[in-house]
Amino acid sequence: MFQNTSSRYSIDLNQIKSSCATCSLRELCLPVGLNDHEVHVLGEVVSHKRKIQRGGYLHRTGSKFQSLFAIRSGFLKTCVLEEDGRQQVTGFHMTGELLGLDAISTEIHTCDAIALEDSEVCEIPFAKLEEISRAIPSLMHHFHKIMSREIVRDHGVMLLLGSMKAEERLATFLLNLSRRFLMRGYSEFEFNLRMTREEIGSYLGLKLETVSRAFSKLQDENIITVDNKRIQINDIAKLRMKMGNSSCLT
Amino acid sequence: MFQNTSSRYSIDLNQIKSSCATCSLRELCLPVGLNDHEVHVLGEVVSHKRKIQRGGYLHRTGSKFQSLFAIRSGFLKTCVLEEDGRQQVTGFHMTGELLGLDAISTEIHTCDAIALEDSEVCEIPFAKLEEISRAIPSLMHHFHKIMSREIVRDHGVMLLLGSMKAEERLATFLLNLSRRFLMRGYSEFEFNLRMTREEIGSYLGLKLETVSRAFSKLQDENIITVDNKRIQINDIAKLRMKMGNSSCLT
DNA sequence: GCTTTAAATTGATCTGAATCAAAATAAATA
DNA sequence: TATTTATTTTGATTCAGATCAATTTAAAGC
């Protein structure tokens, strides 16, 4: 899992599970081939942990950027504020993901990051990361891949917002969550949403009532079972169909 | 212009205008402080030019990624294809901008890049760029900023698609173009669109008829003058108002 | 030049999602 | 536990933008 063929050194997950550095850096480190020394160097950089309780801010729009944050546990949302007060959720983030990439550009955070459940992150001072990535090319390359992946993800959301209708958006969203839970060893068919209908709506470009109606519709069709925040996927194939055939109709 | 305070070496634009390397790398190189030797090293990497005529592909979805492309002149669009054939435009790109960032992730291009007018690009072999950025930290840092800026840009588009209505989207789009033309030394008040109404619509999540109507509406209000692809901004303040007050109404 | 094809505008109608409104349920707090 | 507050669901209505359709205008090809 998360290993690529070019790895020179395969990290033993069990061995390092208790260490903050490596654990939180699953996405950042594991896939890269690092030797003992390099793992040690990297560990030095990411030693600082931080807990954020539900509802708390990891960072705010406008605050000075110094570090990236690797999510060690928990669940967060990022959102940008419009001048007029309304907020748009730009993403939901879970264990192993990296936050703060948007702030590298201006060294000012361009969004709020808010914990949707008690969470723990590892702080990665960005200047240090750049410094050691000079010494560890595979780390640098992997970091570039992570940034690139974020761009690809955003393009996917743009496609969703630009060309899908409500039900298709929700299906896409649920399948995305499902896959991410699966990747982390949780059930792909049954999970708890950490966010409200309003937050889902904000992310998907829909009003909360529309989100609620789309949930009900999918339930009526026996594709999912909804019990408030608890979601059960009964027919993942049908759910995939829902996602796929937007423009097929035209 | 495009200079930051930490520059150790200020590049003479006139001196290097005829050299492909530096000219095409305005975004990539100029703002970074590089010394003579470093400029030379960088120049070696980006020496390969390529012309694409109107309608031609710079790269296609699914093709192997090896190089980034710095636009030297011209105008391109990038678009992702849905399984069902319809395409969503993810961006319009002009001189000085960098294409291919999305492909670093998987080493496969995730979108098509198509020239909307005869264009010229410089090819930047990505492996080489990573290699020399180890030797030139400021170059590496600037590259990170460019990727980050792309992420910020995408978040802006997500906000647009997720929460603005047609007229606000078009106003935002025109102001964005206006600013980019200004930055490149062209008029911010009068310019030619290189793309069709359909392509604008795809980018903005609207149908071409809606784009056309929004143009007409802005013209009726004497904010812009539209003559097919020729756009004249008559009242930029009012245009900014159009963009800003989406949720103010509610 | 003329002919063909592509692009843009404008009108009429339809529809999906927003909005308004009320009730039901769940979560937080005293 | 009771009370308050936040969240979710569902219904009725409205509206922005999609769709359908017909011209007009511009560009490309012969």
Side-chain angles (χ1 to χ4, degrees), chain A residues 54 165-166 207 210 213 228:
Chain A
R54 186 160 179 273
K165 42 182 85 127
K207 291 291 155 187
T210 307
R213 277 183 242 270
N228 204 295

Side-chain angles (χ1 to χ4, degrees), chain B residues 54 164-166 205-207 209-210 213 227-228:
Chain B
R54 185 161 180 272
M164 288 187 185
K165 42 183 84 127
L206 302 168
K207 291 291 155 186
E209 296 95 330
T210 307
R213 276 184 244 269
D227 178 19
N228 204 295

